[in-house]
Amino acid sequence: MPSDDMSVPEAAEYAGDVIDRIAAAVITDRAFLETVLTGVLARGHVLLEDVPGTGKTLTAQGAAHALGLSFNRVQFTPDLLPSDITGSHVYNEHTQEFQFNEGPIFANVVLADEINRAPPKTQAALLEAMDEKQVSVDGETRELPDPFFVIATQNPVEQEGTFELPEAQRDRFVVKTSMGYPDRAGELELVDRRANRFSQMPTIEAAVDEAQVRSLQAVPERVHVDGDVREYLVDVARATRDDDRAEIGVSPRGIQRFFEAARARAVIAGRDYVTPDDVKFVADPVMRHRIVLTPEANIQGATKEDVVDAALASVDVPNVTGA
């Protein structure tokens, strides 16, 4: 069983088991699941942007089950209040006292469904939870469970009645990624499952428990990052600021998240050191949502992915083979 000093090979084995169990229930690309778990191991939050019906909710539930963690889902709407997330004090007639009823934010894994539909005041309450791992209700601060992370979703197409996420909140998501549509074989499997209306959905058993997840999250802290790789990572992020298509490039805080994600990716790959390939793997999911394009770039049809690709192409790749 893993412990507080879990080794990288142990962590990689458990991470692979978690991904295998989710993949047995969710029809999606393995690289997508590795990106989601990268965010978890980096002690951050994950933003999923995809059209409805691709399996985002099932992914979040599957991740919680495979990690042995508690799970709550919050459907975000324009009339959602902060207390609907954090909880509130309710008067108990029997004790003649106010008692605190916990909101859905008090879970290890919280699915914030259609997060951009919540008004700014509710977003602020969620931001405190994401950033500080705590909530403030009626002047009292309450700690959230540990581990705690948010998997948020938003629809890239339907924008009516939505509120754009503030830059400060986007920056709290370590990675932003998309599931995309399954391939033909995957969609045939979905139909095959539906053809047998009496078949049960695949059950996801826990690969680890709450304490073991905390141990997993500690492993990236011991991953070595060579000086040349650190320079490479920083230079790639800084190159996004020099691109004429970018009004805002990756921030210093974004560079730190980039660094943390690269280490987490190395752990999933079973290495105790970061390679340039780890940096490349996490570059798009870590940097894309932190870039703001200029109006001219938007008109010309440029994308944030174009800026990330250009940044990677502009920096020489160091030759690193080990720790």
Side-chain angles (χ1 to χ4, degrees):
M1 300 296 286
S3 61
D4 288 340
D5 58 351
M6 186 190 298
S7 69
V8 169
E10 282 181 305
E13 183 177 348
Y14 278 94
D17 195 7
V18 167
I19 292 171
D20 288 342
R21 296 185 187 211
I22 303 172
V26 182
I27 297 176
T28 187
D29 182 73
R30 188 177 182 87
F32 163 77
L33 296 178
E34 290 180 355
T35 299
V36 171
L37 194 59
T38 294
V40 175
L41 263 61
R43 301 175 186 266
H45 310 284
V46 178
L47 180 59
L48 306 180
E49 184 175 76
D50 234 320
V51 296
T54 52
K56 300 185 293 296
T57 299
L58 185 58
T59 297
Q61 291 175 325
H65 292 156
L67 291 166
L69 301 176
S70 60
F71 173 82
N72 278 332
R73 177 179 179 269
V74 183
Q75 180 63 55
F76 279 62
T77 58
D79 60 350
L80 194 71
L81 300 175
S83 59
D84 294 329
I85 296 176
T86 62
S88 60
H89 287 91
V90 178
Y91 186 71
N92 187 322
E93 293 184 357
H94 295 290
T95 63
Q96 296 186 345
E97 295 178 343
F98 283 93
Q99 64 183 29
F100 182 70
N101 286 355
E102 293 182 349
I105 198 71
F106 286 87
N108 297 121
V109 183
V110 176
L111 172 61
D113 220 351
E114 295 189 281
I115 187 175
N116 53 333
R117 291 196 178 277
K121 186 175 290 188
T122 303
Q123 294 286 2
L126 182 62
L127 176 59
E128 179 190 7
M130 293 171 63
D131 195 29
E132 304 294 337
K133 307 297 175 68
Q134 65 181 31
V135 295
S136 299
V137 182
D138 298 333
E140 294 183 14
T141 299
R142 297 179 181 272
E143 297 294 324
L144 293 172
D146 179 26
F148 168 78
F149 62 92
V150 171
I151 298 179
T153 73
Q154 62 180 17
N155 183 347
V157 179
E158 179 58 62
Q159 296 299 321
E160 184 177 351
T162 64
F163 301 84
E164 185 176 359
L165 294 183
E167 183 181 349
Q169 188 155 4
R170 291 200 308 271
D171 215 27
R172 285 344 188 250
F173 290 101
V174 169
V175 294
K176 174 185 176 183
T177 186
S178 301
M179 296 184 71
Y181 293 116
D183 58 19
R184 183 175 182 274
E187 295 194 314
L188 278 171
E189 183 176 346
L190 283 172
V191 172
D192 289 341
R193 289 182 183 180
R194 181 62 187 88
N196 185 354
R197 63 175 62 250
F198 300 107
S199 65
Q200 297 290 322
M201 283 294 295
T203 301
I204 301 178
E205 299 292 339
V208 289
D209 59 25
E210 187 175 304
Q212 293 166 342
V213 173
R214 288 194 291 270
S215 295
L216 275 169
Q217 291 179 322
V219 175
E221 296 295 330
R222 301 192 297 275
V223 169
H224 174 75
V225 187
D226 187 79
D228 288 344
V229 177
R230 297 186 189 195
E231 291 184 20
Y232 174 62
L233 183 150
V234 169
D235 289 343
V236 167
R238 287 174 60 87
T240 64
R241 305 175 198 164
D242 298 330
D243 195 309
D244 292 338
R245 297 167 293 185
E247 187 172 300
I248 298 176
V250 177
S251 69
R253 181 164 55 202
I255 291 178
Q256 294 176 63
R257 300 294 89 83
F258 196 7
F259 177 77
E260 292 161 359
R263 293 193 304 182
R265 167 60 190 172
V267 170
I268 293 173
R271 281 181 276 94
D272 61 359
Y273 62 93
V274 172
T275 68
D277 283 342
D278 295 322
V279 175
K280 294 176 183 178
F281 183 90
V282 301
D284 185 74
V286 169
M287 295 197 295
R288 176 176 43 173
H289 60 291
R290 294 180 164 86
I291 296 169
V292 177
L293 296 177
T294 65
E296 294 80 7
N298 280 314
I299 292 172
Q300 294 168 2
T303 66
K304 297 175 182 181
E305 291 87 342
D306 293 335
V307 176
V308 173
D309 290 343
L312 287 168
S314 69
V315 180
D316 291 335
V317 181
N319 182 20
V320 177
T321 58

